[in-house]
Amino acid sequence: MKLSEIFFFLASALVAVSASVIQLNDENFKDVVLSSGKYTLVKFYADWCRHCKNMAPAYEEVGDIFEQEPQVQVARINGDKEGRKMSKKYNIEGFPTLFLFHGDDEPVEYQGNRDAESISNFVQQVSKIRLSQPKVIDTFQDFSKVVDLDERNFQKEVLSNRKGSSLVAFTASWCPHCERLKPVWEKLANVIFDRDEQIKIAQVVTDLVPSEKIKEQFEIDSFPTILYFDPNKVHEDGLRRPEPYFGDRSLQDLVNFVNEKADLYRDTNGELLETAGRIHHLDKLISERLGTTPSSEAGIKLLKELDKLMILRTSSIVDKQKIISPTDDFSAEPYYRKLLNKIISGDADFIEREYKRLNRLLKEENENLTRSAIDSFKKRINTLKAFLKQ
C-alpha cells in the first residue's frame, strides 16, 4: 500500500461512522430526516476539518446512547461534498455544526460543549424525550451537599422548609453557562456554607428531572436562573415569592448575596469574616462609654442599649437602618449580654482572660477542634475585640 493510501485510510478512520450514526447526502436528506417523523440530530462536517475528527468519538457515543430510542436518530452529512446543497440551504458557515430537526419545525442549532454528555442532554431537553436509563447524566452528583430538586421534592425541601432559606439554580445540562456555574455551586455547598443550616444550596437540572410545573410556576425561561427562597418572608400582599438573583455569577458575588440574605458571614474560603459576632452600633457605644476600668453603671446602660437594639431590629421603623446595619450579627446578642453582665458583676477582667483562652485553644488545639467549634470560638473572639477596642 502506498504511503498516500495509508494516510487516506487513517484519516478516514478518524471520522468513520458507527452503525448507530446514519450517513446522509443531499438526495436522502428529506426522506431520512424531514419526513421520518423523528427527532434527528445532524452533524454537518468536512473530511479536512480537524475539529470534526476530534469530535467523532463523542458523536458516535451519542449515536449509541439513542440507538434504542425509536423517536430519535443520530446522523451526519459531509457538508463539503455530497451534502453541499443542504449546507447551503441551512446556511452552514463552519464545521462541525449540529442541528436537531423535527419535521417542518425550525431546526435547533446546538451550541454547547462538544462532548457526548452535553450533546445527548441537549437532545433530551429539546425533544422532551427522557431516556429511561440515561447513560450520561451530570447533575452535580459528586457534590454531596448540593440538594437535587424536582417536582416531587420541591415543596418539602424548599417551599415548606421553615428551618432556613434555599438558593436554587435552575440549570440545563446542555447549557455552557450552567457548566461554568458548576464549580462555583460546588464550593458554595461543600466548602463555604457546608456547616450553615440556615441555607440550602440546591439545583433543578431541568432537562434531566421532572420540572415542567416548577418552571411554569416560577417562570423559568432561561438558564441558569438563580432564585433565593425564604419561606419565612411574606410580602405585603400576603404571598411568599422567591427573590431572583441578577448579579454576576462569580463566587464572591454569590457569597455576598447569601451572606446578606441569610445573615451569614463567610468569605470565599468558608472562613468567618471579621464582622461575624459584631453588632456595630453597640460596638460604637462600647468604645465611647467603657473606659479602661469599666464600671457596673456603664455596663447597665449598655445592656439597656442592647435591649433597645433588639426591639428596633424587629420594628417597622423606616429609618432604623441608620442604627441597624445589614452586617450586624444579632446571633451574638446572648454573648454580648453575658459580657456586659460580667462587667456589671465586677468581673471585667473576664473579657481579656477569655480572649487569651480562646486564642490559645485555636492555636494549640486547632487540629482537634470541629469546624463548628472553630467558628464558635472565632465569633466570640470577634465580639471580645469590641470590648477590648480592637
Side-chain angles (χ1 to χ4, degrees), residues 256-293:
N256 292 344
F257 179 79
V258 173
N259 281 339
E260 178 186 349
K261 298 300 175 182
D263 293 328
L264 293 171
Y265 305 88
R266 298 286 179 193
D267 63 17
T268 54
N269 294 313
E271 301 298 329
L272 285 176
L273 296 168
E274 289 294 319
T275 52
R278 302 295 287 261
I279 303 174
H280 296 87
H281 183 71
L282 187 61
D283 290 351
K284 181 181 178 183
L285 295 178
I286 289 171
S287 178
E288 293 171 352
R289 298 182 186 183
L290 282 185
T292 53
T293 54

Side-chain angles (χ1 to χ4, degrees), residues 133-197:
Q133 292 183 333
K135 295 185 181 181
V136 181
I137 298 179
D138 188 357
T139 63
F140 303 162
Q141 289 178 357
D142 291 337
F143 315 151
S144 59
K145 293 198 174 182
V146 173
V147 180
D148 288 306
L149 301 171
D150 57 35
E151 292 175 355
R152 296 163 292 191
N153 65 355
F154 199 90
Q155 180 70 40
K156 178 182 177 182
E157 293 288 344
V158 178
L159 302 181
S160 298
N161 176 30
R162 294 293 181 265
K163 294 181 180 179
S165 304
S166 302
L167 187 69
V168 182
F170 293 82
T171 69
S173 54
W174 48 264
C175 162
H177 297 296
C178 303
E179 189 72 21
R180 287 192 286 272
L181 181 65
K182 282 187 180 182
V184 175
W185 223 243
E186 173 191 7
K187 192 168 184 180
L188 287 174
N190 295 322
V191 177
I192 300 174
F193 299 113
D194 62 321
R195 55 199 185 276
D196 295 305
E197 295 182 354

Side-chain angles (χ1 to χ4, degrees), residues 97-112:
T97 294
L98 274 61
F99 276 110
L100 184 62
F101 293 83
H102 187 237
D104 295 328
D105 295 346
E106 185 73 15
V108 181
E109 184 177 4
Y110 173 72
Q111 296 179 318

Side-chain angles (χ1 to χ4, degrees), residues 117-384:
E117 170 188 347
S118 300
I119 297 170
S120 62
N121 289 329
F122 160 76
V123 174
Q124 293 179 68
Q125 164 72 16
V126 177
S127 68
K128 294 183 170 53
I129 294 172
R130 303 285 185 261
L131 297 178
S132 57
Q133 292 183 333
K135 295 185 181 181
V136 181
I137 298 179
D138 188 357
T139 63
F140 303 162
Q141 289 178 357
D142 291 337
F143 315 151
S144 59
K145 293 198 174 182
V146 173
V147 180
D148 288 306
L149 301 171
D150 57 35
E151 292 175 355
R152 296 163 292 191
N153 65 355
F154 199 90
Q155 180 70 40
K156 178 182 177 182
E157 293 288 344
V158 178
L159 302 181
S160 298
N161 176 30
R162 294 293 181 265
K163 294 181 180 179
S165 304
S166 302
L167 187 69
V168 182
F170 293 82
T171 69
S173 54
W174 48 264
C175 162
H177 297 296
C178 303
E179 189 72 21
R180 287 192 286 272
L181 181 65
K182 282 187 180 182
V184 175
W185 223 243
E186 173 191 7
K187 192 168 184 180
L188 287 174
N190 295 322
V191 177
I192 300 174
F193 299 113
D194 62 321
R195 55 199 185 276
D196 295 305
E197 295 182 354
Q198 59 267 56
I199 184 66
K200 181 181 295 184
I201 306 299
Q203 65 171 353
V204 181
V205 188
T206 57
D207 58 320
L208 300 183
V209 299
S211 61
E212 293 302 318
K213 293 180 181 178
I214 306 174
K215 288 195 293 182
E216 181 179 355
Q217 181 178 359
F218 299 110
E219 300 180 349
I220 307 299
D221 55 13
S222 63
F223 305 109
T225 292
I226 299 172
L227 298 180
Y228 178 77
F229 292 82
D230 183 355
N232 299 309
K233 183 178 180 179
V234 181
H235 292 265
E236 294 180 356
D237 58 7
L239 298 176
R240 292 183 175 89
R241 295 191 188 88
E243 179 176 345
Y245 175 75
F246 294 118
D248 189 83
R249 291 190 288 270
S250 67
L251 184 65
Q252 183 66 70
D253 284 2
L254 282 163
V255 169
N256 292 344
F257 179 79
V258 173
N259 281 339
E260 178 186 349
K261 298 300 175 182
D263 293 328
L264 293 171
Y265 305 88
R266 298 286 179 193
D267 63 17
T268 54
N269 294 313
E271 301 298 329
L272 285 176
L273 296 168
E274 289 294 319
T275 52
R278 302 295 287 261
I279 303 174
H280 296 87
H281 183 71
L282 187 61
D283 290 351
K284 181 181 178 183
L285 295 178
I286 289 171
S287 178
E288 293 171 352
R289 298 182 186 183
L290 282 185
T292 53
T293 54
S295 65
S296 297
E297 182 180 0
I300 292 171
K301 290 181 178 180
L302 287 168
L303 198 57
K304 291 180 179 178
E305 293 293 339
L306 177 57
D307 290 335
K308 292 178 183 177
L309 285 172
M310 296 307 294
I311 295 172
L312 182 62
R313 178 198 177 201
T314 57
S315 74
S316 57
I317 296 176
V318 175
D319 60 350
K320 68 179 181 181
Q321 63 268 23
K322 293 179 180 178
I323 297 176
I324 304 297
S325 168
T327 59
D328 282 338
D329 184 358
F330 283 98
S331 70
E333 179 265 337
Y335 197 57
Y336 272 96
R337 194 173 295 278
K338 174 181 178 178
L339 297 179
L340 289 171
N341 281 323
K342 287 288 185 180
I343 292 172
I344 293 169
S345 65
D347 190 15
D349 291 341
F350 169 83
I351 294 171
E352 188 168 354
R353 294 198 310 270
E354 184 70 354
Y355 179 77
K356 290 179 179 179
R357 183 183 76 87
L358 292 176
N359 274 292
R360 185 178 66 253
L361 283 172
L362 282 178
K363 183 178 180 181
E364 297 175 358
E365 302 292 333
N366 192 281
E367 293 183 359
N368 300 321
L369 294 172
T370 65
R371 294 181 70 186
S372 296
I374 292 172
D375 280 352
S376 177
F377 288 176
K378 286 184 175 179
K379 185 177 286 191
R380 280 185 273 172
I381 286 171
N382 286 345
T383 306
L384 289 163

